[in-house]
Amino acid sequence: MYLLIVFGPLLGALIAGLFGRILGDKSAQLVTTGFLILSAVLSLFAFNQVAYNGHEQLIHVMNWFAVGDFQAAWALRVDTLTAVMLVVVTFVSSLVHVYSWGYMADDPHKARFFAYLSFFTFAMLMLVTANNFLQMFFGWEGVGLASYLLIGFWYKKPEANAAAIKAFVTNRVGDFGFALGILTIFAVFGALDFDTVFGAAHDNAALVIPFLWMQFNAIELIAFLLFIGAMGKSAQFFLHVWLPDAMEGPTPVSALIHAATMVTAGVFLVARCAPLFEMAPHASLFVTVIGAMTAFFAATVGLVQNDIKRVIAYSTCSQLGYMFMAGGLGMYDAAIFHLFTHAFFKALLFLGAGSVIIGLHHEQDMRKMGGIAKKMPLTWIFMIIGTIALTGVGIPGTSFGFAGFFSKDAIIEGAWEAGVAGTAFGYQAFWVGIVAALMTSFYSWRVIFMTFHGTYRGDQHTFDHAHESPRSMLVPLALLSAGAIFAGVLFAGDFIGDKQAGFWRGATVIEAVADTSHEAPDAHAVPEQHAAASAEDHGGGHHVPTWVAWSPFVVTLIGFAIAWFMYITREGLGARMAARSRYVHPFLYNKWYFDELYDIVLVRGARKLGDLFWKGGDQRIIDGFGPNGFAAATLAGAKRIAKLQTGFLYHYAFVMLIGLVGFITWILVSGVSGGH
């Protein structure tokens, strides 16, 4: 069953990619979509077997390679964490495949597109089922390759090519850190499989190793390097710049890769390596700070963006920041729960945005939208459901709430409890979460109001021909809407409630902390605080002040009210404020000028360094002494000598006579000299 879940999408990708022209687009779509739906159905069955019946497995596929005493086996690790990711990846991917039947209906390269989608799904499944760091790195690089291919799918569009290259290069920076982390793991533990590394982590808690001419705690260094990889793949602060530009790819790509699956790989990595991060309080603090900074930064930028997909992209960045903030505070279960619920409502929002774009003939600028709710009523309803789930609407202390309410509030309340327990940056993370929730509510409802309400501001011909999306696009939206409504209330007890210990069974660090935290040396006392923050009721609001439990709901209402006032009551107020703003709006609209800063510091610097090696090294030195130096002199001499070849017989006879005279003269002179 698990082999079919993982390798079924690969088989579909190979069939569509290699034989798509022979089979035709329809057959390629049927094959790839069929394998994905089968994987999704089997993943649901596997989730039930593993999470609720305790059927964890380690499935040996083959021996990969052996070098000396080191052996790398290809195996599938199936525990609750894996089962959750299998459901997320295959469920969203199968719906994206179905959705793409309608969205890509007019594209002439559908077979190639579906092959890329299925290949991406296979790579992501390899990542989440890996049993060692080397196998995980294979999947890690595989999703990076698939992301590059899908972002640049419309390769005749210069913006798409530039975005694909930007994503690829930025991820290489993070992947370099990940690779260094894997090398350090092997240097410290002599192995790369998870059980060996995690089992020996506590014994190496005090080990110090040199790195960059300094001494570092080995576990701290490993955790830090692994998180650098997570920062790149999950678009965290400093390495976030590729994600908004990735919206140049087809909208189904945005929903699959940049909302629900690939960008969550970093969160999965932190959760999988929880035993290491529990022994690395400083690296965990770094994770918390970067997550909080990302949640705040991305929310501020999302306030003023006008491209509907870019707003949702920055929302993804912000929500990923919440997940890392939770992971850094030791709330790995809450981080994965938010990952789980986020997959439903963020994929719903991206696919809903795609429905709007198709209905308005590929218009993405919200300034050219408005008043289309009557034209696209179902899309409007689905987008509102996704918005309510994203903003986390729910009544604290009750079972009423959409998906985001249960998972996001669990992180915010857990951050407060972590602060109470003395965990560094706990209180600060709480307040960042509250402020980000306020901004999330504002920019989310801003999208709804600017797109579906008020006066239409675009081309009248486009409005007259606006239409609802086909059934192949609406059915996935309906299914994702069900997840956005019910995923939180149905699974909160398992992920973060009183059933979590039996649900996870040590797949996160819950059990590991209980077994080892009391033995940790004084330098690593923070993991005990992590254990306190990861208590079974940390997200339920049972042990937080009432005002803490109600704060997210209150700021959500405030954000909604501000958006209503600016875009419904005083329609056009937002545009007028933006036009009058000289500093704040340009600063946020230009994304804190990160692209410009990186262009000055990195791009131009790299170009100048390249010019130095090219013009100074290659042209002046290599070419100067080579093709333009000795070689040029030889060529010039040869050309002059060649002119002596006149073709006249008497010239050659004259030369021979001169040579003979010279030879006789040399003999005579030599003889005279020898006689003396």
Side-chain angles (χ1 to χ4, degrees):
M1 177 178 70
Y2 294 104
L3 293 178
L4 187 57
I5 291 174
V6 175
F7 292 101
L10 175 62
L11 182 58
L14 292 175
I15 294 174
L18 298 177
F19 307 106
R21 292 186 179 181
I22 299 174
L23 297 175
D25 289 339
K26 286 290 184 183
S27 298
Q29 292 174 238
L30 281 171
V31 169
T32 53
T33 305
F35 274 115
L36 258 298
I37 293 176
L38 179 60
S39 292
V41 173
L42 294 177
S43 295
L44 291 173
F45 178 76
F47 177 78
N48 179 70
Q49 290 294 99
V50 174
Y52 299 114
N53 297 317
H55 292 172
E56 294 91 350
Q57 297 186 49
L58 185 61
I59 303 170
H60 181 81
V61 179
M62 64 178 181
N63 293 323
W64 196 356
F65 63 84
V67 179
D69 295 332
F70 175 70
Q71 294 185 355
W74 204 283
L76 306 181
R77 184 186 187 93
V78 183
D79 55 14
T80 304
L81 182 59
T82 302
V84 170
M85 296 302 297
L86 288 179
V87 170
V88 169
V89 173
T90 59
F91 183 75
V92 174
S93 183
S94 61
L95 293 181
V96 167
H97 273 70
V98 174
Y99 179 92
S100 298
W101 281 59
Y103 192 90
M104 303 294 290
D106 298 328
D107 195 280
H109 306 291
K110 289 189 284 291
R112 178 165 62 90
F113 179 76
F114 279 84
Y116 288 170
L117 282 183
S118 291
F119 172 71
F120 165 81
T121 305
F122 161 72
M124 190 68 193
L125 291 173
M126 288 305 309
L127 191 158
V128 301
T129 58
N131 187 48
N132 60 66
F133 286 98
L134 202 59
Q135 185 179 336
M136 179 182 282
F137 192 72
F138 171 84
W140 196 271
E141 294 302 300
V143 295
L145 170 62
S147 175
Y148 171 78
L149 295 174
L150 286 167
I151 295 171
F153 178 76
W154 289 324
Y155 57 87
K156 294 183 179 180
K157 185 179 178 182
E159 294 84 0
N161 286 326
I165 294 172
K166 187 176 184 179
F168 195 80
V169 172
T170 305
N171 274 272
R172 297 291 72 74
V173 175
D175 293 353
F176 180 67
F178 189 21
L180 289 178
I182 294 174
L183 294 174
T184 308
I185 289 172
F186 184 75
V188 172
F189 299 99
L192 293 177
D193 63 284
F194 295 146
D195 290 335
T196 301
V197 173
F198 298 157
H202 187 263
D203 295 334
N204 291 274
L207 179 64
V208 176
I209 59 174
F211 182 73
L212 296 178
W213 309 283
M214 293 180 285
Q215 300 294 319
F216 291 91
N217 177 274
I219 306 300
E220 291 277 9
L221 179 61
I222 290 171
F224 174 78
L225 291 174
L226 292 179
F227 180 62
I228 295 299
M231 286 177 64
K233 198 66 71 184
S234 295
Q236 292 299 283
F237 198 63
F238 298 120
L239 295 180
H240 65 278
V241 292
W242 66 270
L243 184 61
D245 289 353
M247 298 304 105
E248 293 294 340
T251 299
V253 174
S254 303
L256 177 63
I257 296 181
H258 310 118
T261 51
M262 190 188 86
V263 292
T264 63
V267 182
F268 170 81
L269 173 64
V270 171
R272 175 61 79 197
C273 298
L276 296 178
F277 282 92
E278 285 296 312
M279 305 302 298
H282 298 99
S284 295
L285 176 61
F286 182 68
V287 174
T288 306
V289 172
I290 291 296
M293 291 174 65
T294 305
F296 177 80
F297 156 76
T300 62
V301 177
L303 295 173
V304 298
Q305 298 302 305
N306 296 314
D307 187 309
I308 187 172
K309 288 174 62 177
R310 286 181 181 268
V311 177
I312 303 174
Y314 277 107
S315 173
T316 299
C317 270
S318 184
Q319 297 305 307
L320 289 167
Y322 274 103
M323 299 176 204
F324 280 109
M325 192 168 67
L329 293 172
M331 300 181 294
Y332 310 101
D333 47 349
I336 297 300
F337 186 35
H338 196 46
L339 183 157
F340 178 75
T341 60
H342 177 265
F344 292 102
F345 57 74
K346 191 51 64 67
L348 172 61
L349 288 170
F350 264 117
L351 296 185
S355 180
V356 171
I357 293 169
I358 288 294
L360 294 178
H361 305 284
H362 298 281
E363 179 59 67
Q364 296 184 200
D365 192 336
M366 294 188 298
R367 292 171 296 184
K368 299 178 181 179
M369 300 179 185
I372 65 170
K374 293 181 179 180
K375 293 279 188 175
M376 309 179 68
L378 294 178
T379 299
W380 172 63
I381 292 172
F382 294 142
M383 287 286 284
I384 286 181
I385 292 174
T387 298
I388 294 174
L390 169 62
T391 56
V393 174
I395 305 300
T398 71
S399 297
F400 173 79
F402 285 65
F405 163 71
F406 293 94
S407 57
K408 183 197 68 178
D409 284 24
I411 294 174
I412 294 175
E413 293 168 10
W416 174 268
E417 291 185 342
V420 173
T423 304
F425 207 74
Y427 287 128
Q428 294 89 334
F430 166 78
W431 286 111
V432 170
I434 291 295
V435 174
L438 171 64
M439 292 187 287
T440 299
S441 178
F442 172 80
Y443 66 65
S444 298
W445 287 108
R446 174 176 176 264
V447 170
I448 296 296
F449 298 150
M450 289 186 69
T451 303
F452 294 99
H453 298 273
T455 305
Y456 183 75
R457 299 172 296 277
D459 178 67
Q460 187 61 39
H461 177 77
T462 301
F463 180 77
D464 293 339
H465 291 82
H467 57 85
E468 187 60 272
S469 298
R471 187 176 302 174
S472 61
M473 296 171 65
L474 294 177
V475 170
L477 290 175
L479 294 175
L480 288 170
S481 296
I485 296 172
F486 299 112
V489 66
L490 292 179
F491 295 99
D494 298 318
F495 279 85
I496 60 174
D498 54 3
K499 303 177 185 176
Q500 64 169 334
F503 179 80
W504 290 111
R505 294 185 183 86
T508 63
V509 80
I510 295 171
E511 293 181 3
V513 172
D515 293 337
T516 63
S517 62
H518 64 280
E519 301 174 1
D522 292 340
H524 297 83
V526 174
E528 296 183 6
Q529 299 170 2
H530 285 185
S534 261
E536 65 180 23
D537 57 0
H538 74 264
H542 301 119
H543 296 285
V544 297
T546 302
W547 71 269
V548 171
W550 280 87
S551 292
F553 180 73
V554 172
V555 297
T556 297
L557 291 180
I558 294 174
F560 170 82
I562 297 174
W564 179 276
F565 177 77
M566 292 180 62
Y567 296 97
I568 299 296
T569 304
R570 298 286 184 89
E571 185 178 356
L573 177 61
R576 293 192 295 272
M577 292 178 62
R580 290 195 299 265
S581 177
R582 297 180 58 186
Y583 303 108
V584 176
H585 183 273
F587 180 72
L588 299 180
Y589 184 77
N590 289 285
K591 301 158 286 190
W592 291 26
Y593 293 102
F594 263 99
D595 286 336
E596 290 77 5
L597 177 63
Y598 284 0
D599 181 69
I600 294 173
V601 176
L602 300 177
V603 177
R604 296 184 187 180
R607 185 180 292 116
K608 289 181 180 179
L609 182 63
D611 287 344
L612 174 65
F613 285 116
W614 168 40
K615 296 179 180 179
D618 190 38
Q619 288 187 341
R620 295 182 182 177
I621 298 177
I622 298 176
D623 288 349
F625 285 96
N628 300 329
F630 296 113
T634 303
L635 178 62
K639 288 181 178 180
R640 290 185 174 88
I641 294 174
K643 293 180 179 180
L644 298 176
Q645 304 296 323
T646 64
F648 294 110
L649 181 62
Y650 67 89
H651 284 173
Y652 297 147
F654 181 70
V655 171
M656 293 174 61
L657 178 62
I658 293 177
L660 180 62
V661 171
F663 181 69
I664 293 173
T665 302
W666 177 75
I667 292 176
L668 292 176
V669 172
S670 299
V672 173
S673 300
H676 290 287

